[in-house]
């Protein structure tokens, strides 16, 4: 391997690592706030990429109907819970207002989908459809189990993953799709060749990481999420709703997943089950940081991207094995450094 090949592999690794970093940050955020090891994070990647592909073909993706169904089902569950506590008369208006954004976005998307909008507009419409699914998924699958153990939440995550994968097969079929590039330009710098899409991936990832930092440091909602992540009981005593924090963290994770899918869909073919493998690499990066450090997760994602890139050159048939095996020494080190304590 000479320097030219090595620099190309480094560029490829950084590009993939930027996507894995976003997914790792989402996983760390969800685990810190809700203690959920969110295995279905990759499903949002597939939903985002394939919903955009459906809009490109002039179809109306079934994810739009799924969003409306989730919003209505969440409202029904809230109404039943309010009726059981005798507060239906006082709470039906707030419940209706919570369901309104999902239903309104779904109906608007049903109207816009057949119109063959420009690519950027379709990408924004995809984000608008997939992002609310995160908060609704938290309401439907996790909210009633908020105080359950991490093991129970993990088992629920496995079930949600299989459910979303099956729905992905129904929504998009078994055929894969690839979206057009957002920027067709290409630039060269010595032996390196930069495509416009590669630059978009790196710049969008960096911009989102900075936006997340500003959100957590400067905004009231971000500070509430940080407080919940540090001490859930203490945050609750200070008036911060753990339910609202959970919904917000899942909504952010869905946005990050959908954006990641939109960014990578011009560079690779996405199938209905592709999100699992992509999300799993983000999980490996998050484990490098112990599911607790955002900078650590970003560095771990960069390392995973570089390992994958160089493995594809030296032993392409075993690159996935090499990537996932690299987590073993990290787990052993963390097990030795942080002995297990019983959860109370």
């Amino acid at each position: 391997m000479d320097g030219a090949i090595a620099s190309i592999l480094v560029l490829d690794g950084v590009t993939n690592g930027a996507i894995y970093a976003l997914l790792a940050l989402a996983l760390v955020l969800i685990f810190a706030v809700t203690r959920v090891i969110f295995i279905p994070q990759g499903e949002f990647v597939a939903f985002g990429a394939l919903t955009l592909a459906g809009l490109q073909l002039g179809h109306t993706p079934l994810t739009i109907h799924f969003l409306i169904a989730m919003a209505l089902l969440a409202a029904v569950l809230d109404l039943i819970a309010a009726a059981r506590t005798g507060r239906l008369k006082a709470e039906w208006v707030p419940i209706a207002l919570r369901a309104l954004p999902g239903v309104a976005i779904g109906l608007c998307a049903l109207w816009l989908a057949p119109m063959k909008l420009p690519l950027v507009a379709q990408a924004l419409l995809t984000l608008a459809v997939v992002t609310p699914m995160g908060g609704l998924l938290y309401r439907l699958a996790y909210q009633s189990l908020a105080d359950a153990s991490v093991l129970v939440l993990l088992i629920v995550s496995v079930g949600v993953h299989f459910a979303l994968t099956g729905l992905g097969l129904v929504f998009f079929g078994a055929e894969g799709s690839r979206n057009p590039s957002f920027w067709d330009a290409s630039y060269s710098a010595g032996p390196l060749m930069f495509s416009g899409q590669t630059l978009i991936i790196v710049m969008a990832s960096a911009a989102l990481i900075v936006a997340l930092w500003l959100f957590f440091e400067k905004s009231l909602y971000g500070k509430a999420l940080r407080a919940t992540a540090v001490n859930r009981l203490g945050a609750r005593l200070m008036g911060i709703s753990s339910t609202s924090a959970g919904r917000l963290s899942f909504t952010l994770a869905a946005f990050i997943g959908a954006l990641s899918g939109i960014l990578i869909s011009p560079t690779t073919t996405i199938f209905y089950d592709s999100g699992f493998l992509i999300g799993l690499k983000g999980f490996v990066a998050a484990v490098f940081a112990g599911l607790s450090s955002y900078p650590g997760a970003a560095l771990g994602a960069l390392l995973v991207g570089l390992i994958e890139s160089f493995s594809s050159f030296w032993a392409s048939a075993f690159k996935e094995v090499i990537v996932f095996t690299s987590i073993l020494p990290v787990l052993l080190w963390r097990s030795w450094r942080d002995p297990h304590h019983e959860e109370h």
Side-chain angles (χ1 to χ4, degrees), residues 9-341:
L9 292 176
V10 168
L11 176 62
D12 187 53
V14 170
T15 304
N16 292 332
I19 295 297
Y20 300 151
L22 294 180
L23 299 177
L25 293 178
L27 290 169
V28 171
L29 169 64
I30 287 183
F31 183 76
V33 175
T34 65
R35 299 177 301 121
V36 173
I37 299 175
F38 193 52
I39 295 175
Q41 176 63 34
E43 266 54 63
F44 290 129
V45 177
F47 277 29
L50 295 176
T51 297
L52 178 59
L55 293 174
Q56 277 287 299
L57 296 174
H59 300 161
T60 300
L62 290 177
T63 43
I64 299 175
H65 301 84
F66 184 52
L67 171 64
I68 297 174
M70 291 178 77
L72 294 177
L73 182 58
V76 169
L77 292 179
D78 286 340
L79 289 173
I80 293 174
R84 284 178 175 173
T85 58
R87 299 176 57 84
L88 181 60
K89 188 175 180 180
E91 294 190 4
W92 74 270
V93 173
I95 292 172
L97 290 177
R98 281 201 297 270
L100 184 60
V103 176
I105 291 172
L107 294 177
C108 185
L110 285 176
W111 175 57
L112 292 173
M115 290 189 177
K116 286 288 214 176
L117 299 171
L119 180 59
V120 175
Q122 289 179 337
L124 294 176
L125 183 61
T126 300
L127 289 174
V129 169
V130 178
T131 300
M133 290 182 185
L136 293 169
L137 188 64
Y138 176 79
R139 169 63 188 93
L140 297 174
Y142 295 99
Q143 183 174 311
S144 60
L145 301 171
D147 294 324
S149 66
V150 174
L151 178 60
V152 171
L153 295 173
L154 175 61
I155 294 170
V156 172
S157 287
V158 174
V160 172
H161 157 66
F162 283 118
L164 291 181
T165 304
L167 288 171
L169 178 59
V170 174
F171 293 162
F172 310 113
E175 298 294 328
S177 296
R178 192 168 187 155
N179 292 316
S181 175
F182 288 90
W183 189 10
D184 293 325
S186 62
Y187 304 94
S188 60
L192 296 179
M193 182 70 74
F194 297 90
S195 70
Q197 189 62 33
T198 298
L199 294 176
I200 286 178
I201 290 175
V202 174
M203 289 190 296
S205 300
L208 186 56
I209 289 173
V210 173
L212 285 173
W213 178 80
L214 291 174
F215 173 74
F216 286 117
E217 292 293 330
K218 305 297 182 183
S219 73
L220 185 62
Y221 287 108
K223 291 176 181 177
L225 284 184
R226 286 173 55 201
T228 306
V230 172
N231 189 321
R232 297 175 71 242
L233 178 59
R236 197 180 301 173
L237 292 175
M238 291 294 105
I240 299 172
S241 169
S242 57
T243 299
S244 298
R247 287 191 178 189
L248 181 57
S249 63
F250 270 70
T251 301
L252 284 174
F255 172 78
I256 292 171
L259 179 63
S260 301
I262 291 172
L263 289 175
I264 64 171
S265 59
T267 63
T268 183
T269 302
I270 301 292
F271 296 85
Y272 74 96
D273 58 350
S274 297
F276 176 66
L277 199 58
I278 299 170
L280 206 55
K281 290 172 183 172
F283 177 73
V284 171
V287 169
F288 273 101
L291 287 171
S292 60
S293 169
Y294 295 105
L299 291 176
L302 185 60
L303 182 61
V304 169
L306 292 173
I307 291 175
E308 181 185 26
S309 178
F310 280 87
S311 300
S312 64
F313 178 79
W314 291 110
S316 60
F318 299 100
K319 69 173 185 177
E320 310 293 359
V321 177
I322 294 172
V323 168
F324 293 122
T325 304
S326 66
I327 198 175
L328 294 179
V330 178
L331 291 176
L332 289 173
W333 174 67
R334 290 207 164 274
S335 177
W336 171 76
R337 184 187 175 199
D338 302 314
H340 172 71
H341 297 287

